[in-house]
Amino acid sequence: MSVFASPWFYWAVGIAIGLPVGLIILTEWQQALRRKGSSLARPVTLLRNWVLPIGAIALLMVQVGEIPAEATPTKLIGTLLAFVVLVLLLSGVNATLFQNAPQGTWRRRVPAIFVDVARLVLIAIGLAFVFSNIWGADIQGLFTALGVTSIVIGLMLQNSVGQVISGLLVLFEQPFEIGDWLETPTARGAVVEVNWRSVHLETADGLQITPNSVLAESSFTNLSRPQGKHRLRMTSVFTIDDRPDQVCEMLSRVAADLPQRDPNSTPYAIPLGGLEYRTSIRLRTAADYSVARSTFLRWIWYASRRDGLHLDEAEDILPLPEELADAVQQVIAPTLQLTPDGQAALMEHCRLERYGAGELVLRAGEVPERMTFIVSGQVQLTVTDGTGADLPVGMVTEGSFVGQNTLTRQPVTGCARAVDELTVVHVNRAYIERLVDENPLLLEDFGRIIEDRRAAALQLLATKTR
């Protein structure tokens, strides 16, 4: 009989040509899906690496090798092919329905453990039917035995199974996500892991493991929902001699400068009666709570003393005259070219104050009413670009000054913020104006510094916008 007249010849040629071509096409498709980050890349990989080669082997055995379907090798390759096709179908359904599900839909809320369990159950059922049809196995008795065993195990472990089911229901509802901040009866922290048994919270004291069944049976607070609604509420105590409006103005001013504050909200402070005041600050996220709280407590310590208030009923710690005199002699006198008599006259027109790390000394757009000389610490000069980000312009250290725009009465182009604890001496505008009137060279020096700092800020902004 001629080879070309044999039925197996065309099957052999078709497989010899079709398998390489199919592999090339599937490889290109696989690479394209991987570049796009598509969830369909995994099903295509299964199709390329397993289904297509095993299918080709099965056709070679049956059509070319003419091995009977009842033979053991044929049954083995048929079982393997049915298994990989079943896995391919389940993987494709999972990628289509669940992995690309839109936010807020029931498909997105289905926990991964549910999908995995359903996949295993369907694979087991599929294999049972495969063994029944290919190997002629009796699966009725197998299902009966599994059903009886499941009932016995369920009765023995009903409490444990009930806890697992409660946890899985919590996962299905999805009242929180990875990164959300939760406040439970035993812990407060960020969700870093969620599995079928427990929720892992990263707290200040370490990793808190909370069983899902505990969350299902008790109430807890998701501090991250709704977004932008989390508030920091701080209670402060002052003396009865402090004016309530002045206290509320100071607390609100400090709260408004917090970097963690929601920029679309305005903090406020109210008296609670007695000696207590409450400040309410809306934060960007719940994760900013601890940092915002500690920063606010530090800043109001310095701000209350600058304003002559008595936080926690403490007596004012005023700078000693000797401390102010030393600052004038060592820092201000060389810059302003003061004589001893001029130093003595300056004492009536200056004030020594302290700022905490991160506090604003000058705000952008503010017209300074005084000139500020750095006694100790450092000040970071920044400008704000079009996106709202702060760009560093330069650093002002001990012996230098800020607020020289008080002479020109023009708004400052950027901010001046304390890098660490800062001690400064503020000199009134009237006294500075009188000095520069008497010393034109001093006015030229200030004018040159003003222009240099302005030019540096404008150059930085121009560089960032390119």
Side-chain angles (χ1 to χ4, degrees), residues 218-267:
S218 62
S219 60
F220 59 90
T221 304
N222 188 339
L223 301 175
S224 300
R225 296 185 186 178
Q227 261 187 343
K229 299 297 183 181
H230 185 68
R231 286 186 178 273
L232 170 64
R233 294 177 175 86
M234 298 294 298
T235 301
S236 308
V237 176
F238 293 82
T239 64
I240 196 171
D241 294 329
D242 294 328
R243 301 195 307 272
D245 286 348
Q246 184 184 8
V247 173
C248 292
E249 189 277 332
M250 184 274 294
L251 293 173
S252 301
R253 183 181 71 247
V254 173
D257 291 336
L258 287 175
Q260 298 81 19
R261 178 183 65 87
D262 183 358
N264 299 319
S265 66
T266 302

Side-chain angles (χ1 to χ4, degrees), residues 148-208:
V148 174
T149 304
S150 301
I151 294 174
V152 173
I153 294 176
L155 292 175
M156 294 174 59
L157 303 176
Q158 54 182 336
N159 293 332
S160 301
V161 172
Q163 293 179 357
V164 172
I165 296 300
S166 298
L168 293 178
L169 291 177
V170 170
L171 291 179
F172 184 79
E173 185 183 357
Q174 282 194 344
F176 50 81
E177 297 177 352
I178 300 295
D180 285 357
W181 276 69
L182 302 184
E183 185 171 15
T184 68
T186 58
R188 175 195 180 101
V191 179
V192 295
E193 182 181 345
V194 180
N195 53 48
W196 64 272
R197 192 189 68 84
S198 62
V199 174
H200 296 191
L201 300 179
E202 185 177 359
T203 68
D205 300 324
L207 197 64
Q208 175 79 26

Side-chain angles (χ1 to χ4, degrees), residues 13-24:
V13 173
I15 295 172
I17 298 175
L19 180 60
V21 172
L23 289 176
I24 293 173

Side-chain angles (χ1 to χ4, degrees), residues 46-170:
L46 286 173
L47 181 61
R48 175 191 177 277
N49 295 343
W50 295 96
V51 176
L52 188 62
I54 295 175
I57 294 174
L59 287 176
L60 284 173
M61 294 177 62
V62 175
Q63 300 297 335
V64 179
E66 298 182 350
I67 300 176
E70 295 79 11
T72 300
T74 307
K75 291 182 178 180
L76 288 175
I77 200 66
T79 303
L80 183 59
L81 178 61
F83 174 75
V84 295
V85 169
L86 181 61
V87 173
L88 172 64
L89 293 176
L90 293 177
S91 180
V93 171
N94 179 49
T96 305
L97 291 181
F98 299 107
Q99 292 186 6
N100 291 328
Q103 290 287 347
T105 61
W106 67 271
R107 291 183 292 162
R108 173 66 71 176
R109 292 196 301 268
V110 174
I113 184 65
F114 281 10
V115 177
D116 293 339
V117 170
R119 184 187 296 116
L120 290 176
V121 171
L122 292 177
I123 289 176
I125 295 174
L127 288 179
F129 282 103
V130 167
F131 278 105
S132 175
N133 294 327
I134 296 179
W135 298 89
D138 182 13
I139 62 172
Q140 182 176 1
L142 177 61
F143 279 120
T144 302
L146 288 176
V148 174
T149 304
S150 301
I151 294 174
V152 173
I153 294 176
L155 292 175
M156 294 174 59
L157 303 176
Q158 54 182 336
N159 293 332
S160 301
V161 172
Q163 293 179 357
V164 172
I165 296 300
S166 298
L168 293 178
L169 291 177
V170 170

